[in-house]
Each structure stands twice: as C-alpha cells, then as structure tokens.
Amino acid sequence: MRRICQGRGACPPDRRCPSSRRATQRVSADITFRKVTNRYCPRLPCIAKQKRPHQPTSRRRKAGCAMSQIRPLIPLLLTAGILIGGNGLQGTFISLRALEEGFSTSLIGLVGAGYNVGFAIGCVYVTRILRSIGHIRTFSAMAAIASAAAIAMVLVIEPAFWFLMRLVAGICFAGLFATVESWLNASVTNANRARTLSIYRLVDLGSVTAAQYLIPGVGIGGFELFAIISMALTLSLVPISFADRSSPIAPEAIRFDVKALWNISPLATIGCIVVGLTNAAFRSLGPIYAQEIGLSVTAIATFMSAGIIGGVVLQYPLGHYSDQIDRRLIILIATFGSLVAGLFLAFGAGSDEWLNFAGIFAFGAFAMPLYSLCSAHANDHAAEGQHALVSAGMLFFWSLGAIIGPLFASFLLDLFGPRALFIYTAAILFLFMLYTLQRMTARKPIPTDERSMPFRNLLRTSSFFNKLAGGSQPQRNGPELRQDARSDRIAEREDQV
C-alpha cells in the first residue's frame, strides 16, 4: 500500500487501486478512511470527497477508550458490590433475628457494638497485614474467616458467641474493604478516577438497597439468610480471582497520632465521633425501632433503604456549598436538619409507615453527609503530608463513636421504648450544634482560595477510599495540571492505536 499511493496521485482517477479498496473495507463504520502514510490519496474521488464526521467519531473513540479503562476494574467493582451488599444485609438481619430469638434490646446493641469494635481493630492493623502478605492472600483469608463466622452464628445462638462472631466479622470486613479499595486506588489513573468513583458509589447504593429486600423475600427464621450471607462472602473471591494477576504494590504505613489529629481540627474530630454515635445507632437499632412501632418485615426493609438512599440526595449539594462558604456553617445546617428529622420521627411520625419513611429519608439526607463534611473540614486545616493521617484518624474516631452509640441507645430503648432512639440522636446532635457554634467563634474560617482540597463524598469503609477519591493528593498548580492533561491525551491516543 505504501508503494501504490503515498499521496502522489499514482491511482487512476476512474478507479481505486486494490490496496486502497482493501484498506477501505477494513476500516470500521465510524472511520471514513484509514491513514496509511499519514496522508490521504488525492486521486480517490469516492473517498477524498467524503466528509469526515469529526465530532461523532471523537465521541465514539472517547467512549471506547473510557470502557477500555474501566474494563480491568470490573472484577474489583463486582467484588466490592458483593461485599457491601452482604455486609448491609447482615447488619439488618442480625438485629431482627436476635430480637426473634429473644435477645433484649441492650444485648442486641452489644452485638452491634461488637462489629464496630472489630472494625476499629481491623482499621489499625490492616495496613500491616497488606504489607506482610499482599492483597490477594489478605483478601482470601479475610473472606474465608468472615464466611465461617456468618454460618457459625446459626449453630450457636448465644449473645456472647454472637458478639464474638460479629467482632471477627468487623475485623474481616475492615480488611476486605481496605484490600479492595487499596487495589482500586493502585489501578485507577487521573483519566478514569472520577468515573470509577461514580460507579463505585452506584455499586454501594444499589447493593445495600437491594440486599435489604432479601429479608422479606427469604424470611427471618431458619438458616437460609445465614447461608446466603456466607455464600456471598465466598463468591466474592470469584471476581477478584479473575482480575489482573499482578498484585498491586503494598500501601505505605500510616502514622497514627491522636494529638496531632486533635490539633488539626477539634471540630472534625468531635464531628466524626458524633456521626458514629448517631448513624451507627440507627444502622444497628433502626430495624428494632421499626419492628416495635408495628412495621412489617417488608416495611422494615423499605425503612432502612429510605435512610440509605436519603444519604445520597444531599451529599453533593451540601458539599458544593461547603466549598463556597465557611464549611462549618454547612455542618451546622446539616446537623440542624438531622436533629429536626429525628424529633419528627420521635414525636410526629407515630406508627404511620409513610411518615416514618419520609422522616428517615430526611434524617439520612442530612445526617449521612456529616462524615464527609467533617473530613473535608479537617483537610482544610491539614498541612502537606497530613492528609493520609486525617483519613485514617477520622475513620478511627468514627469507629469509637460507633462502638458507644449502639450500646447507649439500646439501654435507652430498653427503658423508654422505640421513640428513645431518635430522642437520643436529637440530643447528641443538639450538643454538637452548640459545639460547632463555639468553634465558629474560636477560630477563623479558612478562605476558599487557600483550601488544599475540595469536598469529597466519602464512604466509611477504609482509609484508602479517601485516596481513591483523590483526597490525599494536594492541589497542583497550572503547569502541573497541564502536564497531566497532556499525559492523559497521549495515553488515550496509545489506547486507540
């Protein structure tokens, strides 16, 4: 082909040369002519006069390039969906099954706290485990142990044993989430980071919401749901086994310093503890509240799903406005909104299904973004190199609150009935509002142009999620961003070739 055309008019005007005809047949429908010598043959009327659809072709090429970048991450995203769904199912189901087995509300709170104790332990030690034995072995071991712990609970129905099994499950899930998110973080690039994060959030929302409806579909009694949870944890090994055979580099060890975290932002530290005290109490005892006010099993699944879906609705609007003004004001607004929603559930909703659905939706919409807002506020005050410390520290302080919250709230439910759950959350949030107002007078806000990072919508799964969201990367100047953009464009061209 190079000898026939070469752009010098060698082809007769009344017909195409055979090589050019074969080249034309090989091209796809969205490309009008393939470059052979970086020039088009000017003596091919049927091809040279044909218009080249620049814009549609460009969009299709970009879509194909985007899919090629996401495709290697699909096994990891499937694994994450199975884990998140199984964990969300287990949290709701264990509370309802414990109530059916005759456990008191305080014992159910103790069992729920066991998971958070294990999760806190796992957050501290998972990086060491990953550095010692690698991602694949860590994931396999944690998945096997968590699967065994889930199926063992149906064999021994005792509060102490269930507490121990939930503690083991907490350690394992902390390791599993950290492994998957560390692996994802090592696999993404600047070109597909935002797209991967969006898909991950959709996987999180869809899997947790869908898993709730397995409870009314299968039923609380019997061993079936225990077996389904165990099967899900075992099957999570399948997608990751078909992933890229190369194990990512072990993550760097994170230095943990409680005093340094407090000095960076006392408000963010207290805020993450408050989120653990309130939101973890809702996740552990929300099914008990719903059952005691007379909701059916299907309505309980909808009640929990409404709170989870509500947590997504205001994440980005609140985060956007927090980037424009004093972030503490948005924290104050979100706290006030969740306080009002809690009071409505305690005193206004009664036993009406739709009022409770609306109330818990509003509660989730305002309460769930608080963790991300507090983490963003801490990052505003963090110096360069401290963002990984902030990410790990905020998750640890949330775990502390999540240990205490279900325990304390369960005792209140035993004494005062189901309304005490949201009276408790309202009281905690009211105290946090007062503390936020005090901090707003004690410390000047960081100007918006001096903040090192924008708001990030974070999950409370592992400290590596903040890195996946780009939260551990400081803002860069114009030349560095332009250089990254040029590198991304070169990578896209290479993928197209």
Side-chain angles (χ1 to χ4, degrees):
M1 196 180 298
R2 293 191 181 93
R3 294 194 300 271
I4 294 175
C5 295
Q6 295 185 354
R8 291 196 292 269
C11 298
D14 58 340
R15 65 186 180 88
R16 293 187 233 172
C17 63
S19 298
S20 295
R21 186 163 58 250
R22 285 194 297 270
T24 306
Q25 293 171 354
R26 286 198 302 268
V27 298
S28 59
D30 62 333
I31 302 176
T32 59
F33 186 68
R34 183 183 298 277
K35 292 182 182 179
V36 179
T37 60
N38 294 325
R39 289 183 293 181
Y40 291 98
C41 178
R43 301 298 299 276
L44 297 179
C46 61
I47 296 176
K49 292 181 181 179
Q50 192 173 2
K51 293 183 179 180
R52 298 172 62 198
H54 295 283
Q55 191 65 24
T57 301
S58 176
R59 284 197 295 265
R60 280 191 288 267
R61 284 178 177 175
K62 288 182 179 179
C65 182
M67 285 305 299
S68 66
Q69 292 172 346
I70 294 296
R71 193 176 295 114
L73 303 178
I74 290 177
L76 291 172
L77 293 171
L78 285 174
T79 296
I82 295 171
L83 289 177
I84 294 171
N87 191 34
L89 170 64
Q90 193 172 23
T92 304
F93 167 64
I94 292 301
S95 297
L96 293 174
R97 180 59 182 267
L99 190 64
E100 186 174 280
E101 295 292 345
F103 292 11
S104 66
T105 307
S106 56
L107 284 177
I108 296 172
L110 180 65
V111 172
Y115 172 84
N116 296 311
V117 171
F119 193 86
I121 296 172
C123 289
V124 173
Y125 290 101
V126 65
T127 304
R128 302 180 190 179
I129 298 173
L130 285 172
R131 291 176 63 84
S132 298
I133 62 176
H135 289 69
I136 297 174
R137 290 184 178 87
T138 300
F139 188 91
S140 301
M142 295 296 178
I145 297 171
S147 176
I151 203 68
M153 295 180 72
V154 75
L155 302 178
V156 181
I157 301 177
E158 290 291 336
F161 184 78
W162 278 29
F163 172 84
L164 180 62
M165 290 299 100
R166 290 296 284 161
L167 185 146
V168 171
I171 296 173
C172 292
F173 274 105
L176 290 168
F177 288 135
T179 303
V180 171
E181 291 171 3
S182 173
W183 204 328
L184 279 172
N185 184 63
S187 302
V188 298
T189 63
N190 289 334
N192 64 0
R193 184 179 299 275
R195 192 178 299 110
T196 303
L197 186 63
S198 299
I199 296 173
Y200 190 75
R201 288 311 311 262
L202 289 174
V203 167
D204 166 60
L205 179 65
S207 59
V208 174
T209 304
Q212 303 299 313
Y213 289 95
L214 285 174
I215 298 174
V218 177
I220 300 173
F223 70 96
E224 290 87 356
L225 276 178
F226 289 104
I228 289 172
I229 294 168
S230 179
M231 288 167 59
L233 293 172
T234 304
L235 290 174
S236 68
L237 288 164
V238 176
I240 209 169
S241 299
F242 287 100
D244 185 7
R245 287 176 293 179
S246 60
S247 182
I249 299 174
E252 296 180 359
I254 298 175
R255 180 180 59 86
F256 189 75
D257 189 340
V258 175
K259 184 178 180 181
L261 287 166
W262 177 264
N263 292 332
I264 289 171
S265 177
L267 177 63
T269 302
I270 297 297
C272 287
I273 295 175
V274 166
V275 172
L277 288 169
T278 54
N279 292 3
F282 157 66
R283 293 299 296 269
S284 294
L285 301 174
I288 308 303
Y289 163 86
Q291 188 169 49
E292 290 192 356
I293 64 172
L295 298 187
S296 64
V297 177
T298 303
I300 293 172
T302 305
F303 178 80
M304 297 302 294
S305 298
I308 296 166
I309 295 171
V312 181
V313 173
L314 292 183
Q315 285 272 1
Y316 290 105
L318 291 175
H320 171 73
Y321 285 111
S322 74
D323 287 337
Q324 310 300 320
I325 60 176
D326 186 356
R327 214 181 295 275
R328 295 172 297 183
L329 180 60
I330 302 299
I331 292 174
L332 190 67
I333 292 172
T335 305
F336 177 75
S338 52
L339 185 152
V340 172
L343 291 176
F344 173 77
L345 286 165
F347 299 106
S351 58
D352 185 89
E353 283 189 6
W354 290 102
L355 289 179
N356 276 281
F357 294 161
I360 201 61
F361 182 87
F363 180 83
F366 286 103
M368 298 302 175
L370 277 172
Y371 179 81
S372 299
L373 290 168
C374 291
S375 295
H377 179 66
N379 280 317
D380 290 342
H381 293 276
E384 186 176 354
Q386 289 185 320
H387 298 290
L389 172 65
V390 167
S391 175
M394 295 300 105
L395 189 62
F396 176 77
F397 284 118
W398 171 84
S399 300
L400 291 182
I403 294 169
I404 301 170
L407 279 174
F408 191 63
S410 63
F411 286 119
L412 294 177
L413 261 71
D414 261 345
L415 294 175
F416 304 107
R419 290 195 308 173
L421 174 61
F422 291 103
I423 295 174
Y424 156 79
T425 61
I428 297 295
L429 292 167
F430 177 74
L431 294 175
F432 182 57
M433 281 183 62
L434 296 179
Y435 185 71
T436 303
L437 290 170
Q438 188 272 329
R439 292 303 304 171
M440 291 176 71
T441 60
R443 194 175 193 178
K444 293 182 179 180
I446 298 291
T448 56
D449 57 347
E450 295 182 10
R451 295 175 183 175
S452 59
M453 291 182 186
F455 172 85
R456 307 282 183 179
N457 183 7
L458 301 178
L459 294 177
R460 296 180 298 274
T461 46
S462 78
S463 60
F464 298 104
F465 185 84
N466 192 39
K467 295 182 180 181
L468 178 62
S472 60
Q473 301 172 358
Q475 289 183 342
R476 293 163 292 178
N477 55 29
E480 290 175 329
L481 292 174
R482 287 193 293 272
Q483 179 63 35
D484 282 352
R486 285 194 293 269
S487 300
D488 290 341
R489 287 196 295 271
I490 293 171
E492 287 183 5
R493 293 193 198 104
E494 291 176 350
D495 288 340
Q496 291 170 9
V497 172

